[in-house]
Amino acid sequence: MYQPPAFKETREDVLLDAIARHPLATLVCNTNDGLTANHLPMMANEDGKQLHAHLSRGNDLIDQCENGVDALAIFQGPAHYISAGWYPGKNEHGKEVPTFNYVVVHAHGKLRFKHDAKWKLSHLKSLTDKMEYGRETPWSVSDAPAEYLARQLKGLYGLEFEIAELVGKWKMSQNRKDVDKLAVVEGLHDDGDQAAIDTAAIITRTI
């Protein structure tokens, strides 16, 4: 991934936090038939050295890839279009162009398939507890009947992704003057959707 110095993010805690906040990943693997991509939630384990996930038995990734295949998991954080019309320079000299601000994390590593029922159950409990956290009446894996849950576990396989490298890019107007950043924040708030608000919050922290 191209990383201009102004946008490069290397702090592991920041990268893992972005993964935790935006767990839906694009998992890319190279197979004998070429590249394949799957979209699925992936969650880092406690020490941040692995990503855990699962797929339906109907998904043939397990047949397309050997155990230990090199893989890339891409996590997309807040992102939004930035209008050239927001910059003060648009009226002063006109030498402005639009762009797109975004947060992205690339996890490089090796992918292994897990079939152990205890591993799969522990993963599902951890993932569900995380996703349900803060709800008034959170759903728990234990809410499902045991026989039903056993059948569901047989219908999926686990993914254990050993992280070799995390690469982050925060393209959030760091290369602009504060007056431009403030104008962009104002424009994003005027747009008002959640992606705009989240993007504005990150830019504000760079001022």
Side-chain angles (χ1 to χ4, degrees):
M1 175 169 61
Y2 174 55
Q3 287 181 295
F7 304 145
K8 187 175 184 179
E9 178 57 70
T10 60
R11 292 170 293 175
E12 186 176 277
D13 60 329
V14 174
L15 300 174
L16 289 172
D17 180 68
I19 289 174
R21 291 176 181 273
H22 308 280
L24 185 64
T26 302
L27 178 63
V28 182
C29 301
N30 194 13
T31 74
N32 291 332
D33 297 323
L35 292 175
T36 185
N38 284 273
H39 308 277
L40 69 169
M42 302 186 77
M43 184 177 67
N45 66 344
E46 289 185 3
D47 65 8
K49 302 303 181 183
Q50 294 180 344
L51 299 171
H52 293 167
H54 66 278
L55 287 172
S56 164
R57 285 280 181 187
N59 189 310
D60 62 355
L61 180 67
I62 194 170
D63 300 317
Q64 297 175 317
C65 300
E66 295 183 2
N67 219 25
V69 66
D70 289 330
L72 170 67
I74 303 171
F75 298 86
Q76 177 74 60
H80 205 278
Y81 173 75
I82 307 300
S83 173
W86 293 343
Y87 298 122
K90 188 265 184 182
N91 294 324
E92 295 171 6
H93 49 67
K95 297 177 182 178
E96 302 289 359
V97 293
T99 189
F100 223 96
N101 278 6
Y102 58 88
V103 165
V104 68
V105 179
H106 287 188
H108 299 261
K110 292 187 179 296
L111 185 67
R112 294 181 175 85
F113 303 106
K114 306 293 287 188
H115 302 286
D116 180 72
K118 289 183 179 179
W119 189 99
K120 292 187 289 184
L121 181 59
S122 176
H123 158 65
L124 290 178
K125 285 181 176 178
S126 296
L127 178 62
T128 304
D129 288 348
K130 180 181 182 300
M131 294 295 103
E132 292 282 337
Y133 180 78
R135 294 182 182 275
E136 185 175 347
T137 55
W139 184 87
S140 172
V141 169
S142 61
D143 291 341
E147 292 183 1
Y148 171 79
L149 183 58
R151 290 197 303 272
Q152 294 299 308
L153 286 174
K154 290 181 180 178
L156 59 87
Y157 56 91
L159 302 177
E160 185 178 80
F161 185 106
E162 194 76 29
I163 299 174
E165 182 183 20
L166 290 175
V167 180
K169 186 174 182 179
W170 266 239
K171 184 181 177 297
M172 287 287 164
S173 300
Q174 299 98 316
N175 58 329
R176 306 292 307 212
K177 297 178 180 178
D178 284 352
V179 65
D180 293 334
K181 295 178 185 178
L182 289 168
V184 168
V185 168
E186 181 179 357
L188 288 166
H189 279 286
D190 287 343
D191 274 7
D193 59 84
Q194 192 58 53
I197 299 302
D198 292 344
T199 302
I202 297 175
I203 296 172
T204 299
R205 293 198 290 270
T206 73
I207 299 173

